Amino acid sequence: MPLIQRRPLTPGQRFLIENAREDLTKKAPETTLVESNHRAKGRNCYGRITSRRRGGGHKRIYRKIDFKRDKLEIPATVLALEYDPNRSARLALLSYADGEKRYIPAPNGLKIGDKVLSTVKPVTEYPVGLSLPLRLIPPATFIHSVEMLPGQGAQIARGAGVSAQLMGIEGESATVKMPSGEIRRVHANCRATIGVVGNADHQNRSLGKAGRNRWLGKRPRVRGMAMNPVDHPMGGGQGKSKGGGGWQHPVSPWGQLAKGFPTRTKSKPSNAFILTRRNGRKVKKV
């Protein structure tokens, strides 16, 4: 979808660049596919803040999305393309031949009236929106909404403008290149959807003002150097200084290294499936 820059009749519109919505269906979400959404505001089950700088924002209704695509061999028609406040991608409302309706992330090129299918049988054509196991997809195909475990539901490549690429099939494993550049093995029975997620211009938008970030539930972020010593290891000092000598590596208020420190657990079981890291380094097999 193209970007829109409006005539700045107000100060908040001067730097605003937003996505056009002419292609979307102006309608309320499907009532049978929505539910209330509890917003934790960064709190855990004990009410303690575990993720800072979250809170406020506009109320949202959660749209239930079919990430499993387990309604097999039944064709569906795209009824509408809708906005979803909970994610960057757009949604496509599908109406199946038996009358059931479901939401899926809308891939680029999908239009109202198109036919969509989820299958486990070999096919000869691969239109956008087709969902099938990785073992039935030709190599070098761009895919999205990829499962990590068969039947678990899509977890990979679900954001706006994002896609993965199927590199090849070897036995029961499929080699997939992730959006980050990481190359990893996934079970060949995991499902994926053909195409690239739509709304690729989402990353090029400009919110235009600080208040729009607050509408999204994002609170201001204060630099550690601007705090007092009691609040942050990098706080304090006469003027602009690192504090405590000035040569410490940047850390969080609790001592976690902030830059250049890998936070991924070394003993994570899924490390065995990674072939190439996102930085291009190949994983050594022991």
Side-chain angles (χ1 to χ4, degrees):
M1 294 183 181
L3 297 174
I4 294 179
Q5 188 168 7
R6 303 184 184 278
R7 180 185 175 193
L9 300 178
T10 61
Q13 293 180 345
R14 186 168 302 279
F15 304 104
L16 174 64
I17 301 176
E18 58 184 353
N19 298 105
R21 299 188 181 184
E22 285 77 8
D23 297 338
L24 299 182
T25 305
K26 292 180 170 56
K27 61 180 290 293
E30 192 70 22
T31 56
T32 59
L33 298 176
V34 297
E35 61 185 11
S36 61
N37 182 22
H38 170 67
R39 306 187 68 187
K41 302 180 179 63
R43 273 77 171 172
N44 62 5
C45 59
Y46 300 106
R48 299 165 185 159
I49 295 179
T50 55
S51 183
R52 295 179 293 164
R53 311 180 190 99
R54 295 187 184 183
H58 201 284
K59 291 184 178 180
R60 304 172 184 174
I61 297 178
Y62 180 76
R63 280 80 165 164
K64 293 181 285 187
I65 300 177
D66 181 18
F67 286 120
K68 293 188 176 182
R69 297 295 297 274
D70 53 0
K71 200 170 181 64
L72 304 177
E73 316 305 335
I74 302 178
T77 305
V78 179
L79 287 185
L81 299 176
E82 300 182 16
Y83 167 79
D84 187 358
N86 302 292
R87 65 194 71 249
S88 57
R90 306 304 194 195
L91 297 183
L93 178 61
L94 304 184
S95 177
Y96 287 87
D98 59 0
E100 185 177 356
K101 294 181 180 179
R102 293 189 181 184
Y103 279 126
I104 64 168
N108 189 27
L110 192 69
K111 302 182 295 298
I112 297 176
D114 289 352
K115 299 293 183 180
V116 176
L117 183 66
S118 181
T119 181
V120 292
K121 299 178 181 178
V123 295
T124 56
E125 297 182 355
Y126 300 89
V128 293
L130 175 66
S131 175
L132 65 169
L134 291 172
R135 56 184 170 83
L136 300 179
I137 301 177
T141 303
F142 287 99
I143 53 180
H144 67 278
S145 296
V146 186
E147 293 181 329
M148 297 190 72
L149 294 175
Q152 190 178 39
Q155 294 177 278
I156 302 170
R158 303 189 329 190
V162 175
S163 67
Q165 188 175 19
L166 179 62
M167 308 297 289
I169 304 291
E170 184 177 352
E172 293 297 319
S173 296
T175 305
V176 179
K177 185 175 183 180
M178 301 293 172
S180 63
E182 177 183 292
I183 300 177
R184 66 182 298 150
R185 292 186 291 112
V186 182
H187 198 283
N189 288 332
C190 290
R191 302 191 69 85
T193 306
I194 304 296
V196 180
V197 183
N199 196 25
D201 284 327
H202 176 80
Q203 63 177 352
N204 299 323
R205 66 175 185 161
S206 174
L207 298 182
K209 61 180 183 179
R212 195 173 296 272
N213 244 343
R214 300 302 297 266
W215 298 345
L216 298 176
K218 301 177 183 178
R219 301 186 68 244
R221 176 171 183 168
V222 180
R223 294 175 297 122
M225 290 174 56
M227 299 182 187
N228 295 319
V230 68
D231 299 317
H232 199 277
M234 296 167 59
Q238 302 301 319
K240 185 175 182 180
S241 65
K242 302 294 182 181
W247 299 105
Q248 290 84 357
H249 198 80
V251 295
S252 72
W254 303 275
Q256 173 70 55
L257 293 173
K259 295 182 179 179
F261 179 72
T263 56
R264 182 180 175 89
T265 305
K266 292 184 178 180
S267 60
K268 203 164 187 177
S270 61
N271 285 341
F273 302 107
I274 299 176
L275 304 179
T276 304
R277 297 285 185 185
R278 58 190 301 176
N279 56 10
R281 296 179 182 177
K282 293 188 177 181
V283 178
K284 296 181 180 180
K285 300 300 179 182
V286 180

